[in-house]
Amino acid sequence: RVAEGAWKSEVEKTFITYGFTQQEVKKAFSSLKLPQGFSKSEGLIFPAQYSFPQGTSAQAAAQSMIDRFSDDPYGRKLLQGNKDFSAQQLLTIASIVQAEGFSEEDFGKVATVIFNRLRIGMPLQMDSTLLFANKSRGEIRVTNRELKMPSKYNTYKYRGLPPGSIGSPGSAALAATLKPTPGNWLYFVTVAPGDTRFTDKYAEFLTFKNEFIRNYKAGLFKGSK
């Protein structure tokens, strides 16, 4: 199974777990036929439950996961891009939406925050992009050291979108990116598991952030993503 938000590196490890050699996996993922305008498969490996007949090659299995993206109605629409963003940019946004949202209801609002920040030139400041760059799975806070990382995926340090997708978005995140929830939010904080709050006021954001820190120290996020 490819989980929503999975990294390409994690999918490759799954292939090895199922008996393919590292060389077979490397060759399979380096020779994929990708949609037009894409040079990397990160984010295009569609999240789903897969089963393959005995003897299926790593190449065929990997390609089917890429093709599944184009088969999804939202994936197919995203690959067309729009007047403001290329398909690659929309995929990058969808991958951040997937990584930052706790629920499908959150996804549309997270997408709106991203688009609103991009529109006014405000740094995205998304922890998920840093965690991807540092390959930190399971963390929900970034360290001061990570905040200073020179990586282009450091959306605290660099304005605009990171260089590419930070994982595989599922249908719900793709749909939210294509049709964000209308709103003027610029900030959001998940103050407790299942409780994400959105605002356009910085002072209110700081209040939410302090509540998150209290809950985090109290251990409310143990076992959460």
Side-chain angles (χ1 to χ4, degrees):
R1 182 178 187 274
V2 175
E4 286 84 356
W7 302 329
K8 172 176 169 267
S9 59
E10 292 173 327
V11 177
E12 288 175 333
K13 286 177 184 174
T14 300
F15 271 62
I16 292 170
T17 301
Y18 276 92
F20 292 109
T21 67
Q22 195 164 357
Q23 188 175 1
E24 285 174 323
V25 174
K26 185 179 178 182
K27 184 181 178 183
F29 279 89
S30 63
S31 56
L32 290 169
K33 187 175 185 296
L34 302 176
Q36 190 173 355
F38 288 85
S39 58
K40 295 180 180 177
S41 59
E42 187 73 72
L44 291 168
I45 304 165
F46 196 76
Q49 184 78 44
Y50 292 93
S51 60
F52 301 104
Q54 189 76 26
T56 301
S57 67
Q59 167 73 38
Q63 187 63 55
S64 72
M65 294 175 176
I66 299 294
D67 295 342
R68 181 78 173 266
F69 191 99
S70 303
D71 291 339
D72 180 83
Y74 297 112
R76 188 162 54 249
K77 188 174 180 183
L78 182 139
L79 291 175
Q80 297 169 7
N82 61 32
K83 62 184 177 63
D84 298 314
F85 296 92
S86 68
Q88 175 64 73
Q89 289 172 322
L90 289 175
L91 181 65
T92 299
I93 292 167
S95 71
I96 298 172
V97 168
Q98 181 71 63
E100 292 283 345
F102 267 82
S103 69
E104 290 188 16
E105 186 182 348
D106 291 344
F107 288 161
K109 294 180 179 180
V110 172
T112 296
V113 170
I114 294 170
F115 285 118
N116 286 347
R117 287 192 172 202
L118 289 172
R119 191 179 66 254
I120 64 174
M122 182 179 176
L124 293 183
Q125 297 183 320
M126 297 287 168
D127 291 357
S128 58
T129 64
L130 264 177
L131 296 173
F132 171 78
N134 205 39
K135 291 294 182 277
S136 300
R137 181 63 83 186
E139 297 297 322
I140 60 168
R141 294 186 74 184
V142 293
T143 64
N144 288 330
R145 182 182 64 80
E146 286 173 324
L147 288 171
K148 296 172 184 172
M149 282 176 65
S151 168
K152 292 291 185 181
Y153 285 91
N154 186 345
T155 51
Y156 285 86
K157 187 178 177 69
Y158 296 101
R159 293 176 189 271
L161 291 170
S165 176
I166 61 166
S168 292
S171 286
L174 295 172
T177 301
L178 292 167
K179 193 175 181 180
T181 307
N184 55 0
W185 310 290
L186 288 171
Y187 310 95
F188 66 91
V189 180
T190 298
V191 298
D195 184 3
T196 301
R197 300 180 193 171
F198 296 80
T199 182
D200 62 341
K201 297 176 179 64
Y202 186 66
E204 192 170 27
F205 160 72
L206 292 179
T207 301
F208 294 160
K209 187 176 179 182
N210 287 334
E211 187 173 346
F212 158 74
I213 291 170
R214 287 197 302 273
N215 289 337
Y216 181 84
K217 288 179 177 177
L220 260 65
F221 285 88
K222 285 181 180 175
S224 300
K225 73 169 187 177

